[in-house]
Amino acid sequence: MDLDIQCEEISPSRWAELLSTMKSCKTIRLDDCNLSRSNCEDLCSVISTNPSLTELKLNNNELGDAGVECLCKGLLMPSCSLQTLWLQNCNLTSASCETLRSVLSAQPSLTDLHVGGNKLGTAGVKVLCQGMMNPNCKLQKLQLEYCELTADTVEALNPALQSKATLKELQLSNNTLGDTAVKQLCRGLVEASCNLELLHLENCGITSDSCREISAVLSNKSSLVDLSVGDNKIGDSGMALLCQGLMHPNCKIQKLWLWDCDLTSASCKDLSRLISTKETLREISLQDNNLRDSGMEMLCEALKDPRSKLQELWVRECGLTTACCKAISSALSMNKHLKILYMGENKLGDAGAELICEGLLHPNCNLQFLCLGNCDLTAASCATFATIMTTKQSLTELDLSYNPLNDEGVRKLCEAVRNPSCYVQHLILYDIYWSSEVHEEMRALEESKPEVKIIS
């Protein structure tokens, strides 16, 4: 049995009911339920008496250090078999880390620890690292995002990483690490015995100066399949260095997030080569980079390469216009693998949408999700989208939010939803104005076709 409750104020009587249920649950999720220390005392009993419990998620609750201390008493019991513990944004400080260190040292079943969004600081993480270095610790996933970490953290983290062969995922995003610390971290990861699969370093104060060391991790760790360095000022010069590692035969990258990295069209030559030849690459985010039409056209040429196996592409807010839409259309008509395409926040216009839809209609195209939110579309393009919705069997989700479609355009989309041949299951229309008459028509449509979700 699983218990999953989110964003609910739990009364004392309701809590008493839930406690009896928890005694037989395998997973418990109580995110954002206004839990406190008193609830943790009850949960301690559940943890220590329910050997079936393997997953406990208590994110966004004001547990505090005292609450976590209560939980850990249960975690330290020999009968505890917990594998996953998530305590994100629970008002913890470095004081909690001593208790968690004891758990890491004593509880080999714990493999997944998320404590992001807490003010642990460098001192707290140094204590956690002592627990990680214990031979009993078998941790595989560690999330320390938004923990107010600084460059000094890496001095303690590196020995722990090098001693922990089981570690597969490390998330350090949104901490002020800087280039010097990231270089040191990467050098440690190259030497470490762990088979790291995921490394997230978003918004860590990285510049092009760190990219040679990150590239070395990519070329030395064939296990690394998920890298996120978004929201860092890497620039085109840094991207060129990263591509050296990404293109190395040892690199098996599958997911690459490079959003808001100060990239321009100058990076697209290297990125195109990566997309067309790195057959392991499945997902790439380039959103919020000034790629422009010329850059997008290069990416489209790569998508037309038969070797490309990319399934998900994010180019939201990349300075694109109608001018690149013919290239996008051509790529869609030739690429059989792309499933998800995010193109919102670009000035494509109705003419651009028409061109994209031509590619969508090609039999080779297997796109499942298309986002064109805030792309300067009007009602004029909705007849074409209605055709797509009733003829493109693969397309199950369409996002046209933040476009001035008005009553005329929304009615055309609703006509497509009414059609028995409509394949779209989720139609997303956030922040679009329509009249009360159309609103009533949409409510009636939702009742008559509950299998189609109109999200607004």
Side-chain angles (χ1 to χ4, degrees):
M1 185 184 296
D2 295 339
L3 179 66
D4 190 342
I5 300 174
Q6 301 174 58
C7 304
E8 180 181 322
E9 191 85 18
I10 300 176
S11 66
S13 59
R14 170 83 165 130
W15 180 250
E17 291 174 12
L18 291 174
L19 280 175
S20 61
T21 304
M22 291 182 206
K23 292 176 183 177
S24 58
C25 284
K26 187 176 181 180
T27 68
I28 297 173
R29 182 178 185 180
L30 296 167
D31 290 350
D32 207 355
C33 288
N34 200 27
L35 304 185
S36 62
R37 183 186 184 281
S38 61
N39 300 108
C40 290
E41 292 176 358
D42 294 328
L43 287 167
C44 172
S45 176
V46 170
I47 292 167
S48 59
T49 58
N50 179 2
S52 300
L53 184 64
T54 58
E55 184 175 303
L56 180 62
K57 296 182 179 179
L58 302 171
N59 302 324
N60 305 316
N61 289 293
E62 292 288 320
L63 306 183
D65 296 326
V68 168
E69 187 175 354
C70 287
L71 284 178
C72 288
K73 289 176 183 176
L75 289 165
L76 288 167
M77 296 295 286
S79 56
C80 174
S81 302
L82 201 72
Q83 298 171 11
T84 298
L85 178 62
W86 286 22
L87 298 169
Q88 293 174 207
N89 193 27
C90 286
N91 196 25
L92 311 184
T93 71
S94 59
S96 289
C97 293
E98 184 61 47
T99 315
L100 290 167
R101 179 196 66 77
S102 299
V103 174
L104 288 170
S105 300
Q107 193 52 270
S109 68
L110 188 65
T111 57
D112 184 349
L113 179 63
H114 283 220
V115 285
N118 293 294
K119 297 180 180 180
L120 306 183
T122 296
V125 173
K126 284 181 177 179
V127 174
L128 281 182
C129 288
Q130 293 172 14
M132 285 178 64
M133 292 178 72
N134 190 296
N136 284 332
C137 176
K138 306 299 180 187
L139 203 65
Q140 295 179 16
K141 301 177 183 180
L142 179 62
Q143 199 263 46
L144 294 168
E145 297 186 357
Y146 287 107
C147 284
E148 298 190 356
L149 309 185
T150 62
D152 294 341
T153 308
V154 175
E155 291 181 18
L157 196 55
N158 261 359
L161 296 176
Q162 290 174 27
S163 70
K164 198 50 52 192
T166 55
L167 193 72
K168 297 183 183 300
E169 298 186 7
L170 180 62
Q171 300 181 53
L172 297 173
S173 296
N174 301 296
N175 288 294
T176 312
L177 301 181
D179 282 324
T180 301
V182 169
K183 286 181 181 180
Q184 186 181 354
L185 174 70
C186 290
R187 285 194 287 266
L189 287 171
V190 168
E191 297 170 4
S193 60
C194 66
N195 293 314
L196 197 70
E197 296 174 2
L198 179 149
L199 178 62
H200 285 188
L201 296 169
E202 295 182 348
N203 187 27
C204 283
I206 298 171
T207 71
S208 59
D209 199 34
S210 299
C211 290
R212 192 178 300 279
E213 282 74 13
I214 299 172
S215 184
V217 176
L218 287 162
S219 59
N220 281 277
K221 289 286 181 185
S222 59
S223 58
L224 187 63
V225 295
D226 184 335
L227 175 67
S228 183
V229 289
D231 200 14
N232 287 295
K233 305 301 179 187
I234 288 171
D236 295 324
S237 58
M239 190 66 240
L241 291 169
L242 283 183
C243 280
Q244 292 176 14
L246 289 163
M247 292 302 300
H248 194 280
N250 285 342
C251 178
K252 308 299 180 186
I253 195 74
Q254 295 177 17
K255 181 178 179 180
L256 180 63
W257 278 50
L258 298 162
W259 60 277
D260 195 12
C261 282
D262 280 4
L263 308 183
T264 71
S265 59
S267 289
C268 289
K269 184 176 180 180
D270 285 334
L271 286 167
S272 296
R273 193 160 65 97
L274 178 69
I275 290 170
S276 64
T277 59
K278 183 60 67 171
E279 294 189 16
T280 58
L281 186 64
R282 296 292 181 268
E283 178 180 336
I284 188 167
S285 173
L286 300 169
Q287 71 177 42
D288 204 12
N289 286 295
N290 193 29
L291 306 183
R292 299 282 181 179
D293 294 327
S294 57
M296 189 64 201
E297 286 169 353
M298 282 189 266
L299 298 181
C300 288
E301 283 302 308
L303 288 170
K304 290 157 72 172
D305 192 305
R307 294 171 293 177
S308 174
K309 300 296 187 291
L310 196 72
Q311 295 178 6
E312 187 167 337
L313 174 63
W314 293 59
V315 283
R316 179 179 174 273
E317 201 170 356
C318 286
L320 311 183
T321 72
T322 310
C324 69
C325 291
K326 187 173 182 180
I328 296 168
S329 180
S330 178
L332 289 172
S333 70
M334 296 180 68
N335 186 300
K336 297 180 179 182
H337 300 286
L338 195 66
K339 303 284 190 271
I340 297 171
L341 179 59
Y342 285 84
M343 293 192 64
E345 306 285 339
N346 289 295
K347 296 185 180 301
L348 307 181
D350 294 327
E354 294 281 344
L355 287 167
I356 290 170
C357 287
E358 286 179 16
L360 269 174
L361 286 169
H362 195 280
N364 282 339
C365 179
N366 293 308
L367 205 70
Q368 296 172 2
F369 175 78
L370 175 64
C371 176
L372 294 173
N374 197 17
C375 283
D376 287 355
L377 310 183
T378 71
S381 60
C382 288
T384 304
F385 284 118
T387 301
I388 292 288
M389 291 167 67
T390 55
T391 56
K392 193 65 189 178
Q393 191 168 355
S394 64
L395 192 72
T396 57
E397 193 164 348
L398 178 63
D399 188 348
L400 300 175
S401 302
Y402 309 104
N403 287 298
L405 306 181
N406 300 323
D407 283 2
E408 180 188 354
V410 173
R411 277 194 166 115
K412 288 176 183 175
L413 298 175
C414 288
E415 286 172 16
V417 173
R418 285 191 195 93
N419 192 315
S421 299
C422 179
Y423 296 107
V424 169
Q425 298 170 9
H426 294 89
L427 178 61
I428 306 170
L429 302 172
Y430 285 122
D431 201 23
I432 295 176
Y433 170 80
W434 52 71
S435 66
S436 56
E437 290 86 354
V438 169
H439 182 69
E440 291 302 316
E441 291 171 21
M442 290 176 71
R443 285 185 60 185
L445 179 57
E446 288 173 330
E447 290 177 8
S448 66
K449 290 199 72 171
E451 68 273 18
V452 180
K453 304 297 182 187
I454 301 177
I455 304 166
S456 63

